[in-house]
Amino acid sequence: MRTFKINSKKKENFKERIWFIKYWANFIKTHPDKEWSKGQAILIDSQFQSARYFYKSLENNSEGRKILKQILKLKI
Amino acid sequence: MKERLAGNKTNQKNIKSSFISYAMEYDTKKREIHSDKVLNELDKLVIDFINIIEKYANYVIVSGYVSILLGRSRASEDVDFLIQGMKFSDFREMFNSLINRGYECANTSNPRDAYEMLDEHAIRFFKETPVPNIEFKKITNDIQEEAFENKIKVILKEKVLLISPLELQIAYKLYLMAGGNFEEISSDKDFEDAKHIYETFKEKINKDKLHKYVKLFKVEDKFNILKNENF
């Protein structure tokens, strides 16, 4: 019963995300690039700023620098 | 750049009549996509990187950033560049130019080591912080060669970028997914990237080519879900 509820919730969630992807694709096709890309830039730039803040804060102490090294190793 | 109105005639009715501007347009004959987009930080990083490497290396951009460049509303940790094989002397010059312009190679600071690593795996370059970074990979198989040989241009005001053909990009994204059952598809960013490109360019993409790639990657089931209008 519980599994069914989770699956049904997941399906609903998936449908909503796919609906939005279609909505957004249509928005891109029917609106000037400058309009949709402004929103996209706000989203991407804010994530950039968060990442920069996170890494800068790690560089500030020795424990953080160790973690940073580990992250770099994982990425490689 | 050619002047274009946003969308088709029906859609234009929905746009304020006073608003004349440019909408992304794919010219399939010329294999060019024109875009007037406002650049985000990721676009700027990619352009900066290309400005340095294009003198030394032939490249094509593949994977997630292609979807983002074409409007997908998500961020990414990395941008994937495929590079044709190059001489060590060119690589060393390119490597040093990147370092002089503020980039770091996450794998090594030695250009010879970095060059040799390319035979085994990708290397990563970043500026200031490790995220986002550029994944720099040598072309080693037929699929990557196909992406390179059939690359298309994305013409921005600031720069021309070379990307994988959209048909290959869609099929490859479906192939990259972990599995084909609903559980896996429902939480997969690769599926969503493929869906974004498909929905944005479905009137323009070459269906025969797309089916050829779908068959090649054996992703027919996932593709049927992707094009299902009920989702």
Side-chain angles (χ1 to χ4, degrees):
Chain A
M1 186 67 178
R2 193 163 175 264
T3 314
F4 172 75
K5 271 187 183 168
I6 291 169
N7 283 344
S8 151
K9 184 79 192 153
K10 262 191 169 180
K11 194 169 183 176
E12 213 39 55
N13 196 14
F14 175 63
K15 267 189 166 181
E16 282 167 17
R17 285 212 316 279
I18 294 302
W19 176 86
F20 180 74
I21 288 170
K22 285 162 79 171
Y23 172 85
W24 182 243
N26 192 49
F27 189 93
I28 286 172
K29 287 193 274 191
T30 55
H31 290 74
D33 292 352
K34 280 181 183 158
E35 206 171 315
W36 62 258
S37 58
K38 270 183 200 162
Q40 191 201 33
I42 291 168
L43 174 83
I44 292 174
D45 293 355
S46 67
Q47 282 169 328
F48 249 68
Q49 280 158 14
S50 300
R52 278 197 187 124
Y53 178 78
F54 171 70
Y55 285 107
K56 293 280 176 208
S57 65
L58 285 181
E59 282 170 358
N60 285 339
N61 60 72
S62 59
E63 195 55 38
R65 284 191 289 275
K66 274 185 205 164
I67 295 169
L68 194 54
K69 273 189 183 170
Q70 290 299 318
I71 292 172
L72 277 173
K73 269 188 191 164
L74 285 175
K75 292 217 163 294
I76 291 164
Chain B
M1 192 188 294
K2 199 174 83 185
E3 187 176 6
R4 285 156 287 129
L5 279 169
N8 58 35
K9 279 182 186 168
T10 317
N11 291 327
Q12 282 168 28
K13 287 179 188 166
N14 300 326
I15 299 166
K16 286 176 190 169
S17 57
S18 60
F19 201 116
I20 297 173
S21 183
Y22 305 105
M24 195 153 56
E25 189 177 277
Y26 182 17
D27 184 331
T28 50
K29 280 187 184 156
K30 288 186 181 168
R31 307 179 60 72
E32 292 175 356
I33 295 172
H34 292 257
S35 176
D36 251 0
K37 74 180 288 196
V38 173
L39 299 185
N40 57 58
E41 292 283 328
L42 199 56
D43 298 324
K44 288 176 192 167
L45 175 76
V46 170
I47 290 173
D48 183 60
F49 189 79
I50 291 170
N51 282 338
I52 302 169
I53 68 150
E54 66 185 350
K55 200 172 142 190
Y56 311 99
N58 295 316
Y59 76 91
V60 61
I61 302 171
V62 296
S63 216
Y65 176 69
V66 172
S67 309
I68 295 168
L69 176 66
L70 302 176
R72 175 104 155 88
S73 56
R74 74 167 178 89
S76 178
E77 282 194 337
D78 52 22
V79 179
D80 299 275
F81 275 69
L82 293 177
I83 307 290
Q84 264 194 328
M86 57 200 292
K87 288 188 293 183
F88 174 65
S89 55
D90 289 335
F91 179 82
R92 186 180 51 207
E93 266 195 61
M94 182 199 75
F95 191 95
N96 290 335
S97 298
L98 286 166
I99 303 303
N100 291 336
R101 296 273 288 271
Y103 285 85
E104 279 181 59
C105 177
N107 307 71
T108 175
S109 55
N110 182 318
R112 171 61 76 181
D113 291 346
Y115 183 73
E116 285 171 6
M117 280 175 191
L118 280 175
D119 287 330
E120 305 295 324
H121 55 74
I123 57 173
R124 289 174 190 267
F125 292 97
F126 65 89
K127 203 171 189 176
E128 291 181 44
T129 55
V131 169
N133 60 70
I134 306 283
E135 191 179 310
F136 192 88
K137 198 173 188 178
K138 198 157 97 177
I139 293 170
T140 53
N141 63 42
D142 291 347
I143 301 299
Q144 293 167 346
E145 193 64 45
E146 179 91 5
F148 182 81
E149 290 301 329
N150 295 288
K151 56 188 175 286
I152 61 176
K153 289 179 180 172
V154 176
I155 302 177
L156 307 172
K157 283 196 305 290
E158 299 79 0
K159 190 78 190 165
V160 176
L161 310 187
L162 304 172
I163 63 166
S164 162
L166 303 184
E167 296 83 2
L168 179 59
Q169 186 66 29
I170 292 168
Y172 188 63
K173 275 278 165 186
L174 295 177
Y175 171 74
L176 280 182
M177 292 166 55
N181 63 42
F182 178 77
E183 284 293 294
E184 285 155 327
I185 287 174
S186 66
S187 58
D188 199 297
K189 74 174 167 51
D190 290 317
F191 181 82
E192 294 182 2
D193 284 349
K195 181 75 176 169
H196 171 79
I197 295 176
Y198 180 77
E199 288 296 330
T200 308
F201 295 97
K202 63 184 171 190
E203 293 85 8
K204 293 284 183 87
I205 51 180
N206 182 326
K207 300 287 188 308
D208 291 341
K209 241 185 187 178
L210 178 57
H211 285 120
K212 187 189 98 177
Y213 290 134
V214 163
K215 241 181 154 180
L216 179 74
F217 288 113
K218 299 186 174 69
V219 289
E220 290 93 338
D221 291 351
K222 295 170 190 173
F223 182 61
N224 284 334
I225 297 175
L226 181 105
K227 62 179 185 180
N228 185 346
E229 284 298 322
N230 295 323
F231 273 119

